[in-house]
Each structure stands twice: as structure tokens, then as C-alpha cells.
């Protein structure tokens, strides 16, 4: 896709530091790492978000994520790893070519903390669960 930076990388128009590449996927160092060693795994074909990714890619994606996740943890000495994947602008997606963040985590690094919310009542949660069950196709 013409105006996509991850497609432009594959055409050699934007420099990047690769850590992995095969027929379907590539991975590189995130230029704005949450922790050092933060990488992105990206399908070579342009899919805007998770909902466009063919399910047939799922197995290879997980296998690659596991291999690269182990590599990131070993190379950085991390004790943990977050996998983050944003869909659509309200989620924080900034590059609209689907990608998975692999972020090494260190005890006490203070990243990615969130404040848990709560439902007003059990009934409210049950009603929403029913809407979700009905909406799943
Ligand atoms: P997201 O908010 O999930 O769309 O994440 C986009 C990610 O792409 C961010 O973590 C950026 O730091 C990263 N990014 C953007 N441009 C580049 C680039 N030229 N090279 C490496 N990473 C990039
Ligand atoms: Zn693209």
C-alpha cells in the first residue's frame, strides 16, 4: 500500500533494523521502544488490523511470536514479556498495517499499569455478557 510505512520498509524506502524475516512475516526493532528490545512482528501483506488477517496465518504467527519472544527475553535478560496489538485509532493504533508488539519486561519497570474498573452491579455485567454472546458470529 502506497502510503503505509511498513509497506514502504519492505520496498526499501525506509530504513529499519530487522531481527527476523520469512515468506509471510518480518520483525524489526521498534523505533520508540517502551523498553530496550521492544520489537514489532508484521505480516508482509498489508492487512489494516487483526480482523483482516487470514486465520491460516495464525499458526505461523504464534510460532514466530514464541520464537521471537524467547529471543527477546534471552537477549535482554527480561523476566517477562507483553504482547500488545492495537486495533483502530481509539485503541492507540497509529500505524494501520497490523503488527504485534513484543515488549520485554523487568521487575519494577512500571510500564503498562492500568486501573481496574468495576460494574455497577452483577446484572449489568450479565446483561453485557448476553449482548456479547448474541453479537459473536
Ligand atoms: P501502534 O500504536 O500499535 O500502531 O504502534 C506503532 C509502532 O510503530 C510504535 O511503537 C512506533 O514506535 C513504531 N514505529 C513507527 N515508525 C517506525 C519506524 N520507522 N521504525 C520502527 N518502528 C516504528
Ligand atoms: Zn502496509
Amino acid at each position: 500500500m502506497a502510503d503505509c510505512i511498513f509497506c514502504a520498509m519492505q520496498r526499501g524506502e525506509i530504513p529499519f533494523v530487522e531481527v527476523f524475516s520469512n515468506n509471510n512475516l518480518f520483525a524489526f526493532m521498534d523505533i520508540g521502544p517502551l523498553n530496550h528490545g521492544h520489537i514489532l512482528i508484521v505480516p508482509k501483506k498489508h492487512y489494516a488490523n487483526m480482523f483482516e488477517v487470514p486465520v491460516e496465518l495464525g499458526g505461523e504467527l504464534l510460532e514466530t511470536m514464541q520464537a521471537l519472544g524467547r529471543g527477546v527475553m534471552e537477549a535482554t535478560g527480561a523476566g517477562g514479556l507483553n504482547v500488545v496489538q492495537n486495533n483502530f485509532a481509539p485503541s492507540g493504533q497509529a500505524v494501520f498495517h497490523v503488527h504485534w508488539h513484543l515488549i520485554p519486561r523487568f521487575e519494577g519497570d512500571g510500564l503498562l499499569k492500568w486501573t481496574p474498573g468495576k460494574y455497577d452491579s452483577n446484572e449489568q455485567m450479565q446483561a453485557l455478557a448476553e449482548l456479547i454472546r448474541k453479537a459473536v458470529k
Side-chain angles (χ1 to χ4, degrees), residues 61-125:
L61 180 63
L62 181 59
E63 191 180 17
T64 305
M65 209 174 279
Q66 289 174 343
L68 288 171
R70 281 189 209 103
V72 165
M73 288 186 71
E74 186 179 322
T76 61
L81 183 86
N82 285 114
V83 177
V84 176
Q85 195 270 308
N86 300 323
N87 296 287
F88 307 109
S91 74
Q93 186 176 8
V95 177
F96 295 91
H97 178 142
V98 69
H99 51 280
W100 282 261
H101 297 255
L102 267 60
I103 306 165
R105 296 297 307 275
F106 305 90
E107 202 61 51
D109 66 16
L111 289 178
L112 299 172
K113 284 195 172 158
W114 66 75
T115 311
K118 65 183 173 78
Y119 290 99
D120 296 336
S121 62
N122 187 49
E123 289 70 28
Q124 185 192 37
M125 182 171 69

Side-chain angles (χ1 to χ4, degrees), residues 5-6 9 14-16 28-33 38 40 86 92-96 99 101:
I5 57 169
F6 293 170
M9 285 176 176
I14 295 179
F16 64 99
F28 52 88
M29 303 299 278
D30 192 297
I31 205 164
H38 176 171
L40 301 178
N86 300 323
Q93 186 176 8
V95 177
F96 295 91
H99 51 280
H101 297 255

